[in-house]
Amino acid sequence: MTDEGQDSNHVIEVKGLKTQFDDFVVHEDLDLSVRAGEILGVVGGSGTGKSVLMRAIIGLKRPSAGTVRIFGEDYYQASDKEREVIEQRWGVLFQGGALFSSLTVAQNVMAPIKEHLNLPDELAKDIAALKISMSGLPEEAGARYPAELSGGMRKRAGLARALALDPEIVFLDEPTAGLDPIGAAKFDELIVNLKESLGLTVFMVTHDLDTLHATCDRVAVLAEKRVLACGPLEEVRKTDHPWIQEYFSGPRGRAALAFKAS
């Protein structure tokens, strides 16, 4: 079950994607579209290439075949300058935050601002402070180094950096991994609030069932080297496939569903 197709509302369109490492094929003839203003959760078993798919979309893993269109532009056929313009319209939160350890949180957030925008230092600092606040961190966090932060605070600092250039799309790779249940729930709430207040499109790789229930408008399931199902969670759960049934209808899936209903 998929609900893909041509739609002018799609900000990401992946068609016939093939990715591989040497002779090992990760994806084959994979199709996926992401709609403007939605939170799309990407799930799948270990080794199905969830993070590889995200990296192929953002230019970190060139596909062997297929096309990736972002904002209507063929990303891999675009010139370097055209790709740079596209890339400034998205932000990425990698696993663990991927912050520069030698820079403070504020300096980390300022890094893309200084790289892409010709702004005075004081204005760049003000923008960084705003993004740090938007991510739910206290003002004093800006002067701290990543090693001085908890895991949850590093995630939020990474999110602040992802928001630095006012992106239209935010890519999140396992954003709640390693967080305790309370921290994960607060991060989920933050993502939904930012999506609604900023009009963001969110592409989120996750394995967290609670996050799927709490945040996602649609869910895409990777299996057998392609997108096996894509749609609202309630519909995807009904897909007659062994992995989908085990994942969504197993004990943890039932617990997440019961928690949402409570």
Side-chain angles (χ1 to χ4, degrees):
M1 183 274 300
T2 61
D3 57 1
E4 303 305 323
Q6 294 296 322
D7 191 327
S8 60
N9 195 39
H10 288 159
V11 292
I12 300 173
E13 295 178 284
V14 179
K15 298 292 183 184
L17 188 78
K18 180 178 182 179
T19 61
Q20 62 188 104
F21 295 92
D22 296 325
D23 294 331
F24 178 71
V25 176
V26 181
H27 305 123
E28 182 85 67
D29 200 25
L30 182 151
D31 295 341
L32 178 66
S33 296
V34 184
R35 298 167 181 165
E38 75 171 344
I39 299 179
L40 177 74
V42 179
V43 302
S46 178
T48 54
K50 301 181 293 295
S51 294
V52 174
L53 173 59
M54 189 187 89
R55 292 171 69 86
I57 293 172
I58 63 175
L60 297 180
K61 170 61 181 174
R62 191 177 186 95
S64 302
T67 60
V68 175
R69 301 186 70 86
I70 304 181
F71 305 118
E73 301 293 330
D74 188 327
Y75 179 80
Y76 285 101
Q77 293 300 314
S79 66
D80 290 345
K81 180 60 177 178
E82 289 169 335
R83 281 198 296 270
E84 182 179 350
V85 171
I86 294 171
E87 289 165 4
Q88 289 183 42
R89 299 174 69 183
W90 73 52
V92 184
L93 171 59
F94 294 100
Q95 290 189 45
L99 300 168
F100 299 115
S101 60
S102 61
L103 302 180
T104 65
V105 169
Q107 289 169 338
N108 266 280
V109 179
M110 289 172 63
I113 298 173
K114 287 190 169 185
E115 180 180 357
H116 296 290
L117 304 178
N118 184 25
L119 297 178
D121 284 349
E122 285 305 312
L123 180 55
K125 289 178 182 178
D126 289 344
I127 293 173
L130 174 62
K131 304 304 180 180
I132 289 168
S133 175
M134 289 171 60
S135 71
L137 287 172
E139 181 181 352
E140 58 269 21
R144 299 169 68 178
Y145 289 89
E148 300 174 319
L149 304 177
S150 67
M153 292 179 74
R154 282 195 296 273
K155 298 265 190 183
R156 290 175 183 265
L159 180 61
R161 187 176 63 185
L163 296 172
L165 298 179
D166 295 330
E168 297 166 58
I169 304 173
V170 173
F171 294 90
L172 308 175
D173 193 359
E174 298 285 6
T176 58
L179 300 183
D180 63 78
I182 294 175
K186 288 182 177 179
F187 200 93
D188 290 341
E189 183 179 358
L190 173 65
I191 295 303
V192 172
N193 289 340
L194 288 172
K195 174 247 186 181
E196 293 177 349
S197 61
L198 301 178
L200 293 174
T201 301
V202 180
F203 181 102
M204 176 168 55
V205 172
T206 185
H207 70 280
D208 192 325
L209 284 159
D210 291 332
T211 293
L212 292 175
H213 283 283
T215 66
C216 293
D217 298 294
R218 291 191 304 148
V219 175
V221 180
L222 295 188
E224 301 171 9
K225 302 180 182 179
R226 59 189 176 90
V227 175
L228 193 67
C230 185
L233 182 56
E234 295 76 12
E235 295 180 11
V236 170
R237 291 180 70 251
K238 299 174 185 177
T239 303
D240 185 19
H241 185 275
W243 188 88
I244 293 177
Q245 287 302 307
E246 181 179 3
Y247 184 71
F248 289 106
S249 300
R252 296 185 70 179
R254 292 195 299 270
L257 185 62
F259 179 79
K260 182 188 179 185
S262 64

